[in-house]
Amino acid sequence: MTQKSDGAGTLVSGPEEQEDGEGSVMSRARRPWWRSPWVYGLAALVVFNLIYALPRYLSFDPTQSRTRIDPTFPLHYPVVVLHVVAGNLALVTVFLQLLPWIRRRHPAFHRMTGRVYVFGGVIPTALLSLVLLPYSTAPMGKLGLATMAILWLATALTGYRMARRRRYMEHRRWMIYSFALAMGTSWGRVISQFAIPGKGIDVAVFFDISSWMGWVVSLVAAYWWLERTSPRRRAVKTTVPS
C-alpha cells in the first residue's frame, strides 16, 4: 500500500491514486484543496475556539477562568489550563492533518503533527476532561461530555494504530471521525453562545442537549461525507451497464 492512500482521499487536487477496499487503484481528478469551502469553514471554527478560550487561560489568572474554580481542589485551575492548552493544540494539529497539500508534499511533517495530535492533544485533553467533570458546576451534560471524551480517545488511538500498521484507508476514516469529535466542543460552544432556550425549556435540559448535540451532529456529518465520497460508491456510480 502506498503512502498516497493515507488519506488524500477526496480532498486532493489533480490526478490522485486511491486504493479501494479490495486493493485496486482508481485514478481521479480533484480541484485544488484551497478552493474547497470546507477548508475555510473548519479553519474559522478552529480560530473561533482559539479566540474564545485560549487568551483567558494563557494569562494564568484564575479570575478570568470561564470555569468556576473549586477551592476544595487545589490543582483545579492548573488542570483547567492544561486541558485548554492541550485541547487547542489538538484542534490545530488535527486541522493540519487533514490538509491534503501537507499530506502529499510534506509527509514527515504530517506524521509529526499526527503524533503531536494524539499524544500532546487528544490523550491529555480527554483524560483531563474526565478528571474535571466531577467538579463541573453545570446542571447537566456531564454524561454527554464524558462519552465524547472516551470516543475521541478511542478514535484517535485507533487511527494512530492503523497508520502504524500502514492501513492508511482505515487510518483516514478513523482520523476523520476523531476530527469530528474534536470539533464537538467547538460546536457546543457555538450552540451555547447563540442558542437561547425557549419558553418552557428547562435550562438543565438545554445544557444536556447541547453536550450531546455538538459531537453527535459532527459524527453523523463525518459518516455521511465518508460514505458519500467512498471509492466503492464512486466505482458503482461510474460503472456503465453492459
Side-chain angles (χ1 to χ4, degrees), residues 26-237:
M26 296 184 299
S27 181
R28 50 194 173 80
R30 288 283 163 237
R31 63 182 172 181
W33 65 268
W34 46 265
R35 293 177 57 185
S36 300
W38 69 267
V39 174
Y40 303 101
L42 295 180
L45 196 58
V46 171
V47 171
F48 167 78
N49 197 71
L50 290 170
I51 295 173
Y52 179 90
L54 196 57
R56 286 177 173 266
Y57 294 98
L58 290 181
S59 68
F60 302 106
D61 181 2
T63 62
Q64 294 193 38
S65 173
R66 295 184 184 275
T67 301
R68 185 176 298 177
I69 304 302
D70 189 335
T72 65
F73 180 23
L75 295 178
H76 194 185
Y77 181 68
V79 171
V80 170
V81 172
L82 288 174
H83 171 74
V84 172
V85 171
N88 280 274
L89 179 64
L91 288 179
V92 172
T93 51
V94 76
F95 178 72
L96 294 175
Q97 281 279 290
L98 293 180
L99 291 178
W101 181 78
I102 291 178
R103 285 201 305 271
R104 290 184 290 111
R105 301 289 184 87
H106 304 283
F109 182 74
H110 174 76
R111 290 191 293 269
M112 182 193 71
T113 55
R115 294 187 184 100
V116 173
Y117 169 68
V118 174
F119 296 104
V122 178
I123 292 177
T125 306
L127 294 180
L128 289 174
S129 68
L130 296 175
V131 171
L132 292 170
L133 278 176
Y135 299 94
S136 172
T137 57
M140 296 285 283
K142 294 180 182 179
L143 180 59
L145 294 175
T147 303
M148 182 185 74
I150 293 170
L151 289 176
W152 189 26
L153 191 61
T155 54
L157 289 175
T158 303
Y160 176 75
R161 185 163 57 91
M162 292 299 102
R164 295 285 295 176
R165 294 183 177 184
R166 298 183 181 275
R167 293 162 61 175
Y168 295 119
M169 290 298 295
E170 294 173 71
H171 163 70
R172 170 180 174 267
R173 190 175 189 92
W174 283 105
M175 287 300 290
I176 289 175
Y177 283 139
S178 181
F179 179 83
L181 288 162
M183 289 289 114
T185 302
S186 297
W187 286 122
R189 286 183 177 137
V190 171
I191 292 170
S192 63
Q193 286 293 304
F194 299 106
I196 302 174
K199 294 181 179 179
I201 299 179
D202 186 84
V203 174
V205 175
F206 173 76
F207 274 106
D208 201 27
I209 293 173
S210 299
S211 72
W212 291 89
M213 186 179 296
W215 64 267
V216 169
V217 170
S218 292
L219 271 185
V220 170
Y223 176 80
W224 171 83
W225 185 82
L226 283 167
E227 290 301 307
R228 181 174 176 270
T229 59
S230 66
R232 191 180 301 277
R233 180 184 176 93
R234 288 181 175 274
V236 170
K237 283 187 175 182

